[in-house]
Amino acid sequence: MEIKETIKEFYNQQAEKFSQTRQKNWPEFNYILDEVKLLLSQKEKIKILELWCGDGRLSRFLLQNLPQDKVEYVWVDISSGLINIANKENTFSNVRFVVNDMLNFVENQQDQTFDFVVAVASFQHIPTRWERLLILKHIYRILTYEWELMMFNWSFSEWFFKKFKFQILKAFLVWILSLWGKPINDIMVPWKDKDKVFYRYYHIFFLFELKNLFKQAGFVIKNLCYIWKDWQPTVNRRYSRNSCIIGVKRVLQS
């Protein structure tokens, strides 16, 4: 089965359980909120797109802390199960829900449709470099000038190495046996439910990968770092939680 189909099947089958394990807000959410507030100070009303929003946890946090008359929000996710949960939990009228693949959605949007695009722990599920770059190029196209794409993905942290050491070793062996043709950072992360184990595809980005992808798509890099708990930027990947990158669509490239 195609990788994205297995991801969609997993999140549809495990939507309720997955949502129950994702009740706490990430510390990074406050940083996203600060970034949106900064952008709101420059424009009367903004349109936000969240790609693969899950059960809407980030969206609800932002909307609870932003003026409702100044924000329009579009939630997109590949899983109808998670979108259904997001819809049930939603109490805001300025939200539109879409069940769609990430690439399929962005390539069908008109130019300069959105002011802010955010992707939290979702871009890491895109299985090929070609598709990642194409998605970023379309995001660049649908953003208004001087506005931003903000993205968080898992990192090769000490916690990740300890928790998924066997999966990392397997990826290393595949890399060797393929004569370095397969990416060393493609990891199949297990999820156990009773007697069944599901495997989700993750591409764990190195910072240089994200930088190269964003630049090739046309973005100016505003921020690129690893982050520690409570949003502390760090250059130390070992103690990080996630990677963070912010790309800006500029009229003049620097």
Side-chain angles (χ1 to χ4, degrees):
M1 187 183 293
E2 185 184 333
I3 286 175
K4 286 196 292 184
E5 285 299 314
T6 64
I7 291 170
K8 179 169 71 174
E9 181 184 41
F10 165 78
Y11 284 112
N12 279 336
Q13 290 185 19
Q14 299 292 310
E16 290 289 345
K17 184 175 180 181
F18 180 82
S19 179
Q20 289 169 7
T21 64
R22 300 296 189 273
Q23 296 299 308
K24 293 182 179 179
N25 292 326
W26 279 15
E28 290 86 341
F29 289 5
N30 286 302
Y31 183 69
I32 299 171
L33 177 63
D34 289 343
E35 197 70 16
V36 174
K37 285 182 175 179
L38 179 63
L39 297 174
L40 264 175
S41 68
Q42 305 167 30
K43 195 172 182 180
E44 187 174 331
K45 187 172 184 178
I46 66 171
K47 190 171 183 179
I48 299 174
L49 169 64
E50 185 178 356
L51 291 170
W52 286 15
C53 64
D55 66 356
R57 179 175 45 152
L58 167 63
S59 314
R60 289 191 296 274
F61 172 81
L62 292 179
L63 290 169
Q64 287 165 1
N65 291 280
L66 294 170
Q68 296 303 298
D69 60 337
K70 291 191 174 184
V71 179
E72 183 181 350
Y73 213 116
V74 179
W75 294 355
V76 179
D77 202 278
I78 197 172
S79 166
S80 58
L82 288 173
I83 284 289
N84 287 338
I85 294 172
N87 196 7
K88 289 177 183 176
E89 295 290 330
N90 177 56
T91 59
F92 304 97
S93 59
N94 53 339
V95 177
R96 180 163 65 95
F97 302 91
V98 181
V99 178
N100 207 335
D101 171 71
M102 193 182 295
L103 175 58
N104 189 56
F105 180 83
V106 295
E107 70 181 358
N108 285 290
Q109 303 305 301
Q110 294 185 357
D111 294 1
Q112 300 186 56
T113 303
F114 295 95
D115 302 304
F116 185 72
V117 179
V118 60
V120 176
S122 58
F123 197 65
Q124 60 200 13
H125 288 311
I126 304 302
T128 67
R129 190 185 189 283
W130 169 85
E131 187 171 349
R132 293 172 204 134
L133 182 57
L134 190 55
I135 288 170
L136 289 176
K137 286 182 175 180
H138 280 297
I139 293 175
Y140 183 89
R141 177 182 58 80
I142 67 177
L143 270 172
T144 52
Y145 281 100
E146 302 301 327
W147 292 68
E148 299 177 0
L149 163 62
M150 189 173 191
M151 184 183 292
F152 295 89
N153 295 287
W154 286 9
S155 62
F156 272 125
S157 63
E158 186 176 72
W159 169 87
F160 188 86
F161 270 98
K162 286 181 179 179
K163 188 171 180 65
F164 302 116
K165 56 186 176 183
F166 294 113
Q167 287 73 34
I168 293 170
L169 176 60
K170 184 176 180 180
F172 177 76
L173 292 174
V174 169
W175 178 65
I176 294 293
L177 293 173
S178 70
L179 299 178
W180 308 281
K182 298 285 187 180
I184 195 172
N185 45 340
D186 281 358
I187 312 294
M188 299 303 293
V189 173
W191 171 283
K192 293 182 180 180
D193 182 27
K194 299 177 182 177
D195 296 328
K196 189 171 182 179
V197 179
F198 297 86
Y199 287 91
R200 294 171 292 163
Y201 170 88
Y202 282 74
H203 184 80
I204 309 300
F205 288 99
F206 298 108
L207 292 187
F208 73 85
E209 281 186 279
L210 290 168
K211 181 180 180 179
N212 289 340
L213 280 168
F214 270 59
K215 285 196 167 185
Q216 286 181 48
F219 287 99
V220 173
I221 308 298
K222 179 178 177 179
N223 197 1
L224 175 64
C225 62
Y226 292 112
I227 54 176
W228 197 38
K229 59 185 178 180
D230 299 326
W231 177 245
Q232 295 295 320
T234 178
V235 295
N236 194 326
R237 173 175 50 80
R238 180 180 177 184
Y239 297 111
S240 62
R241 287 167 44 93
N242 297 291
S243 63
C244 172
I245 184 167
I246 303 174
V248 183
K249 180 178 180 177
R250 288 264 162 83
V251 176
L252 298 175
Q253 303 291 326
S254 57

